[in-house]
Amino acid sequence: MTATSLRLALAQLNPTIGDICGNADKVRAARRIAGDAGAELLMLPELFLCGYPPEDLVLKPAFQDACRKACEALARETGDGGPAVLLGLPWAEGGKLYNAYALLDGGLIQSVRFKVALPDYGVFDDSRVFSPGPLPGPVVFRDKVRLGLPICEDIWSEEVVECLAETGAEILLAPNGSPYRRDVGDERMNVAVARVVESGLPLVYLNQLGGQDELVFDGASFVLAADRTLAHQLPAFREAVVVTDWAREAGQWRAQPGEIAAIESGDEADYAACVLGLRDYVGKSGFRGVVLGLSGGLDSALCAAIAVDALGPGRVTCVMMPSRFTAQQSLDDAKACAKALGVRYETLPIAAPVAGFEAALAGLFAGTQPDVTEENLQSRARGTLLMALSNKFGWMLVTTGNKSEMSCGYATLYGDMNGGFNPIKDVYKTQAFRLAQLRNHWQPAGALGRDGVVIPESIMARPPSAELREGQTDQDALPPYEVLDAILACLIEREMRVADIVALGHERETVLAVERLLHRAEYKRRQAAPGVKVTGRNLGRDRRYPIVNAFSDGGEGAYEPDATLVKGVGRPGGESFDF
């Protein structure tokens, strides 16, 4: 192979799961852009034709057929002499289903490679629906370069890349469906650098973009040279088609330096993920806009700001639903927030609906004392009114509970938990304050909301309250949020023992109380709306706990097993060994 140059186009695009025709049209549009730029090859992310992750939808034979038919149509179109296409799709062969990556060129499907490493941890369940492929060799492209095509998880260990390097690969092109979580970019870069060092080969990391249910794919694709220098960095949270130029120098391919986009990190990245996740959930589901209850509190104000940045003020309706416990300050703050955001703002008092519920229940409740039941009637009246607006006008109801509340069950089923999607479901209360402060002086690229202060400072200064009784604050029922969130992060993200959390300086009874709340609220979370994942472990796909669960960590600390009681431990094949 004596070719000395290659022009490769990278398409960091936003597919919709199941919209095979629409995704194929995105491939065609990107191919036209690549062709106009003189590119010879267009690369798409993992499973782009069907969208990732397709979950059990991919097991439907009709779905598999539709993907194959669309792939073949795209392959025929490459007979026009334009750019070849590297395309991900499910591939049925020999009674098995594979996560495949195909080279389409010259009117044919020239080569197909299958994903080897199938993740089944965290949010992933690839091994549930796909069969692992064999260790791959490189694909020869137009007799000029041997391409190694490790698919996503294939680069997270050495085996696949080592095999490709040993069998003659010259460039590693890795299509990915890697969802966002905080600091994941550093992890991806570390893994990519390790593979480059081990193989001595340059690597293209091309990631999917867009929201899919709880997951947000942030893009942030990049190109590493064989000497580990960063040749290209694509933006995060935005689509991009970028053409890269490659030259063979001293027998090795090198990417010519290109644009290095700035990548959001920390709270900025989390906020951008919430915006993209809500935008795509609403858009891909076909809703005209959204409606949410604007209480004058922090969480609903933050969600309103996210909704406006995602959809624009014209597609967001905010509703204040005061009760006799609603403070004048809440009314003033809600109105000011709505005005700053530029959204439609309505007021629906709930006194009459609540009185109706109380009257209907008066006979059965006779002789009992008012308690949380009557408080929850207020929340449920609000939820009913908001759902009526959703039904009547085709607006999706945004629910606004943060991760701290959802963890502890500090939310009302069929009340404030009503809704189709929650952009801050994976945001702890302490971070919600930070995101609100952040949004008042910054907004992500492509945001459709106004610049400047959109969440009144008075909202952030007030003690959080559900305002379901006179003088109520969140801290009546929960520890201070700084304490609560630190304990929850230990229990959820790190699965720490109670004793180890206490050793960090937390009060034992507080930790035990929070753990009890966390376990008891599982039944509520199973009925909660999906929401954007931003942490390492969200209360959804990542964390699958039984609803009925009698276990409690008593706080005794780690137990040291008595090895003298164990005669043998079984091994595969029935063998055992003695200690």
Side-chain angles (χ1 to χ4, degrees):
M1 297 184 183
T2 58
T4 58
S5 66
L6 172 69
R7 179 161 282 187
L8 168 67
L10 309 180
Q12 179 179 285
L13 299 178
N14 187 343
T16 298
I17 285 185
D19 185 9
I20 297 165
C21 292
N23 296 338
D25 285 342
K26 281 182 170 283
V27 175
R28 294 184 176 97
R31 186 169 180 262
R32 286 192 292 271
I33 294 171
D36 290 345
E40 302 158 82
L41 178 61
L42 170 69
M43 180 182 178
L44 282 302
E46 177 183 12
L47 286 183
F48 183 83
L49 190 55
C50 66
Y52 183 82
E55 301 186 68
D56 286 7
L57 179 61
V58 79
L59 299 177
K60 291 180 70 68
F63 184 80
Q64 300 166 17
D65 292 346
C67 290
R68 185 65 167 266
K69 181 179 179 182
C71 177
E72 291 175 354
L74 289 168
R76 293 187 187 98
E77 293 170 22
T78 62
D80 62 4
V85 176
L86 283 167
L87 181 65
L89 74 155
W91 188 279
E93 185 170 300
K96 295 182 178 181
L97 184 64
Y98 298 99
N99 180 332
Y101 207 48
L103 173 63
L104 319 181
D105 192 22
L108 300 172
I109 301 174
Q110 297 284 352
S111 301
V112 182
R113 293 294 183 267
F114 302 141
K115 188 174 183 177
V116 178
L118 301 176
D120 58 4
Y121 56 86
V123 302
F124 303 106
D125 55 7
D126 285 34
S127 61
R128 171 182 166 83
V129 294
F130 293 114
S131 295
L135 285 172
V139 167
V140 177
F141 174 61
R142 295 184 180 177
D143 291 327
K144 66 185 308 179
V145 59
R146 290 184 293 271
L147 303 173
L149 306 177
I151 302 172
C152 200
E153 191 75 11
D154 287 345
I155 70 168
W156 285 73
S157 60
E158 302 88 348
E159 188 178 26
V160 173
V161 169
E162 181 181 31
C163 179
L164 288 166
E166 290 177 350
T167 52
E170 297 173 288
I171 303 174
L172 299 173
L173 304 183
N176 286 266
S178 177
Y180 172 78
R181 65 178 185 277
R182 181 179 277 235
D183 298 330
V184 70
D186 293 338
E187 295 179 41
R188 294 173 187 152
M189 185 62 70
N190 290 338
V191 167
V193 167
R195 299 294 87 78
V196 168
V197 169
E198 293 159 4
S199 66
L201 300 176
L203 183 146
V204 175
Y205 185 103
L206 179 64
N207 193 27
Q208 180 175 299
L209 183 86
Q212 174 57 41
D213 298 342
E214 296 171 287
L215 303 181
V216 170
F217 297 87
D218 55 320
S221 308
F222 56 87
V223 178
L224 285 178
D227 62 2
R228 305 185 301 284
T229 57
L230 184 63
H232 291 264
Q233 175 65 69
L234 277 63
F237 306 109
R238 285 174 283 160
E239 287 191 316
V241 178
V242 173
V243 175
T244 66
D245 285 304
W246 297 72
R248 190 194 293 271
E249 301 171 357
Q252 187 173 53
W253 288 95
R254 181 176 182 84
Q256 303 304 306
E259 182 178 353
I260 307 296
I263 301 296
E264 296 86 350
S265 61
D267 286 341
E268 289 186 0
D270 286 354
Y271 187 91
C274 292
V275 169
L276 179 55
L278 179 61
R279 176 185 294 150
D280 276 356
Y281 192 87
V282 172
K284 293 178 181 181
S285 299
F287 288 98
R288 299 174 186 172
V290 300
V291 61
L292 70 152
L294 194 62
S295 68
L298 177 80
D299 295 333
S300 63
L302 177 58
C303 286
I306 290 170
V308 170
D309 283 342
L311 306 171
R315 296 178 66 194
V316 179
T317 298
C318 293
V319 185
M320 159 54 89
M321 293 169 287
S323 75
R324 63 190 179 94
F325 300 113
T326 302
Q328 184 61 46
Q329 184 69 57
S330 297
L331 294 168
D332 295 342
D333 286 343
K335 186 175 182 179
C337 184
K339 182 178 180 180
L341 289 167
V343 299
R344 178 181 176 182
Y345 178 68
E346 302 289 347
T347 301
L348 288 178
I350 64 167
V354 171
F357 284 131
E358 290 175 341
L361 293 165
L364 290 174
F365 283 8
T368 67
Q369 293 299 314
D371 56 18
V372 70
T373 305
E374 284 77 10
E375 294 180 15
N376 287 341
L377 286 177
Q378 299 168 62
S379 180
R380 289 177 177 137
R382 292 182 173 116
T384 298
L385 293 174
L386 289 170
M387 281 306 305
L389 294 173
S390 174
N391 292 159
K392 180 63 72 174
F393 299 112
W395 300 328
M396 190 198 75
L397 174 54
V398 171
T399 183
T400 62
N402 60 68
K403 188 171 185 175
S404 308
E405 295 172 348
M406 297 306 299
S407 297
C408 296
Y410 197 70
T412 304
L413 277 173
Y414 326 120
D416 59 307
M417 287 179 65
N418 277 5
F421 196 76
N422 182 351
I424 64 168
K425 183 179 180 180
D426 202 27
V427 174
Y428 288 111
K429 185 72 171 189
T430 48
Q431 187 186 12
F433 277 102
R434 298 201 311 270
L435 293 184
Q437 292 165 345
L438 170 69
R439 177 56 184 85
N440 277 346
H441 63 80
W442 172 91
Q443 59 186 139
L448 302 177
R450 297 173 175 176
D451 293 334
V453 176
V454 293
I455 300 175
E457 291 295 330
S458 54
I459 288 179
M460 290 178 269
R462 295 175 66 203
S465 171
E467 292 193 316
L468 298 178
R469 65 176 181 270
E470 198 68 49
Q472 182 185 31
T473 68
D474 290 2
Q475 256 56 82
D476 296 340
L478 298 172
Y481 278 115
E482 293 78 7
V483 175
L484 175 64
D485 289 355
I487 293 172
L488 287 172
C490 292
L491 290 170
I492 297 170
E493 268 73 43
R494 300 168 64 186
E495 288 286 8
M496 289 176 63
R497 292 183 175 87
V498 166
D500 294 335
I501 302 173
V502 172
L504 295 176
H506 296 286
E507 294 182 1
R508 184 175 184 276
E509 289 307 313
T510 301
V511 178
L512 289 170
V514 171
E515 189 209 32
R516 284 194 298 271
L517 290 172
L518 179 63
H519 288 326
R520 287 174 56 190
E522 185 64 34
Y523 78 100
K524 288 188 177 182
R525 291 190 290 272
R526 291 288 184 95
Q527 301 178 67
V532 176
K533 168 184 165 65
V534 296
T535 66
R537 201 166 188 225
N538 73 340
L539 298 171
R541 295 173 65 103
D542 277 322
R543 186 180 183 275
R544 306 176 191 184
Y545 264 61
I547 294 175
V548 178
N549 171 22
F551 177 77
S552 177
D553 181 347
E556 292 83 6
Y559 175 70
E560 185 66 35
D562 185 349
T564 65
L565 298 179
V566 182
K567 183 177 180 181
V569 177
R571 285 179 167 176
E575 299 176 8
S576 64
F577 64 91
D578 292 329
F579 288 96

